[in-house]
Amino acid sequence: MRICVFCGSATGNGTRYAEAAAALGELLAGRGIGLVYGGAKVGTMGILADAALAAGGEVIGVIPEKLMTVEVGHDALTELHVVADMHERKAKMAELCDGFIALPGGAGTLEELFEVWTWAQLGIHAKPIGLVDVGGYYAPLRSFVEHMVSEGFLRAEHRDLLFVDTEPAALVDAFATWKPSSVDKWT
């Protein structure tokens, strides 16, 4: 099994986001779950990868050519795929994994999350998606998602495609028993 993790090229304020990234990397490696991620050695991306590698895990990075120097492509991974652009990056990461987890991050993290969530709604993939809600980071997003449901732009069963927990282990446990929904957007 491999899980794709979306996270930041920055570490955020304080130490809690870096600590969460390291804990998730160690957890995945400790359970024999491969990590697929954005391929950089900076920010929480680098912390996540380094922790998984230090714990003996498989780590596969996918990075666009343009970001090799900006995000500083990680040179010590199990595999590093250098691709043409962000579209190819997301498609390759989705191809290589069995589920998705988003740590706190910026616009890129949200863009990746929303794309795979949309793909799940459309039936393009049947893979679990989770958010690690470190210190309530995703609480405003969760409130907005509820607003989308109450305003009739998102069905409750599509909201429920997102697992949310403060503990990465709980998400990984939920992924192990997860069954795909039979309800796509057009059903």
Side-chain angles (χ1 to χ4, degrees):
M1 175 182 229
R2 291 179 181 150
I3 293 179
C4 177
V5 177
F6 303 131
C7 54
S9 59
T11 56
N13 296 330
T15 61
R16 63 185 173 184
Y17 303 121
E19 291 166 357
L24 180 56
E26 291 170 10
L27 171 72
L28 295 176
R31 293 202 183 178
I33 299 169
L35 167 64
V36 177
Y37 85 114
K41 65 179 176 181
V42 297
T44 54
M45 281 194 281
I47 293 166
L48 170 75
D50 288 341
L53 289 167
E58 174 193 48
V59 181
I60 300 170
V62 183
I63 191 167
E65 291 173 19
K66 184 174 181 168
L67 297 182
M68 275 295 290
T69 55
V70 178
E71 287 186 349
V72 191
H74 203 302
D75 57 2
L77 304 177
T78 309
E79 294 175 29
L80 179 62
H81 299 266
V82 180
V83 297
D85 54 36
M86 292 297 286
H87 298 292
E88 191 176 339
R89 179 195 223 179
K90 292 179 292 184
K92 185 67 171 177
M93 289 192 304
E95 171 191 325
L96 293 170
C97 77
D98 302 297
F100 306 92
I101 290 178
L103 286 167
T109 300
L110 291 177
E111 189 268 339
E112 291 165 332
L113 168 67
F114 275 83
E115 184 155 341
V116 298
W117 186 23
T118 300
W119 290 353
Q121 289 177 52
L122 296 175
I124 294 171
H125 75 74
K127 300 175 183 181
I129 306 166
L131 305 176
V132 180
D133 193 16
V134 179
Y137 183 82
Y138 282 114
L141 176 64
R142 293 173 69 195
S143 292
F144 185 69
V145 168
E146 291 303 324
H147 179 67
M148 292 165 63
V149 172
S150 69
E151 292 298 315
F153 287 99
L154 181 68
R155 290 165 54 181
E157 55 267 22
H158 295 141
R159 172 201 57 212
D160 297 342
L161 290 171
L162 294 179
F163 291 91
V164 182
D165 206 291
T166 58
E167 295 299 324
L171 292 175
V172 174
D173 291 343
F175 281 19
T177 60
W178 179 80
K179 300 285 186 235
S181 170
S182 61
V183 178
D184 65 27
K185 185 171 178 69
W186 311 114
T187 303

